Amino acid sequence: RRRGSAQPCGGPVGGIFPMEAEQLEAGPAASAVVDTCRHLLSVLGALLGSPVGQAAAQDSSEARSLPALAKALRRLWFGTPLSEELWDSKEQVVWMCRLLCVTEGSRSGLLSFYGGAVLMIDALAVFAEYALQELGLPLDEAWAASAYTVQDVLRGPHWERFQQWPADRRCGGGSGPPLLSADRLPCTMR
């Protein structure tokens, strides 16, 4: 879609449509990205219907950063049986490297919020495709539309600001970190 067109693309992001997302300040837009990723992981965990899927849904509801979501997705991947006929092990290794870039790049302070969110939404979409295909379930159109909307928000007017923030920026629903918390320390000291 062209910028400024009246047609929204995709579905709502955290209760907003992309045209409204373009008008948000960068902080609320980043929160919408994290909240939507949390929601997508939670829905995926519920769709898988396994104990590890339920645990991923619970973990995602408590996550307030991209690295926390990446860890929950990694645990879901480890606990979900996938046949190599559908998803080649070499492709899984490349996928896991991208996911580990979110956690390790964040830990070392090398990854921006923008880069972490791009890697996270891509890893989430790829895993959803293969995990649901393994169960014989189609990828839900509303789920995919929300994933595309996250990408639209990331490429929106705040993309430069997102590149200045660290990937472990704490945002999304819920309260902030307590006054005495390791989350308040610079990433090099954690």
Side-chain angles (χ1 to χ4, degrees):
R1 104 179 147 80
R2 292 184 327 219
R3 293 252 179 242
S5 70
Q7 294 292 329
C9 65
V13 175
I16 59 171
F17 281 93
M19 285 302 294
E20 294 168 322
E22 291 176 1
Q23 298 167 3
L24 284 177
E25 293 297 321
S31 290
V33 166
V34 171
D35 284 341
T36 302
C37 288
R38 288 177 42 227
H39 175 73
L40 292 173
L41 182 56
S42 179
V43 168
L44 179 60
L47 284 173
L48 294 179
S50 63
V52 72
Q54 299 302 318
Q58 179 65 32
D59 290 346
S60 68
S61 70
E62 297 169 3
R64 297 294 179 260
S65 68
L66 296 171
L69 287 168
K71 289 176 186 175
L73 181 57
R74 185 178 65 208
R75 285 190 295 272
L76 181 59
W77 173 76
F78 274 121
T80 303
L82 298 167
S83 67
E84 284 196 35
E85 288 111 29
L86 291 178
W87 196 9
D88 183 58
S89 62
K90 292 176 186 173
E91 291 175 351
Q92 288 186 52
V93 168
V94 171
W95 175 86
M96 179 54 77
C97 287
R98 289 181 183 154
L99 192 60
L100 286 174
C101 282
V102 176
T103 56
E104 299 306 312
S106 172
R107 182 176 300 152
S108 62
L110 298 174
L111 189 64
S112 69
F113 180 85
Y114 176 86
V118 167
L119 290 169
M120 182 64 206
I121 196 64
D122 179 64
L124 195 52
V126 168
F127 181 76
E129 178 184 348
Y130 286 111
L132 293 175
Q133 190 176 7
E134 182 77 30
L135 295 174
L137 298 172
L139 187 61
D140 183 66
E141 288 182 27
W143 193 98
S146 292
Y148 288 129
T149 302
V150 167
Q151 293 174 342
D152 287 345
V153 170
L154 290 170
R155 289 188 295 253
H158 305 297
W159 69 272
E160 289 175 323
R161 184 74 172 139
F162 292 159
Q163 289 183 5
Q164 295 171 351
W165 289 341
D168 62 352
R169 179 181 173 87
R170 190 175 172 95
C171 54
S175 61
L179 184 58
L180 299 174
S181 167
D183 288 337
R184 293 190 178 270
L185 294 172
C187 61
T188 56
M189 296 181 74
R190 282 187 234 155

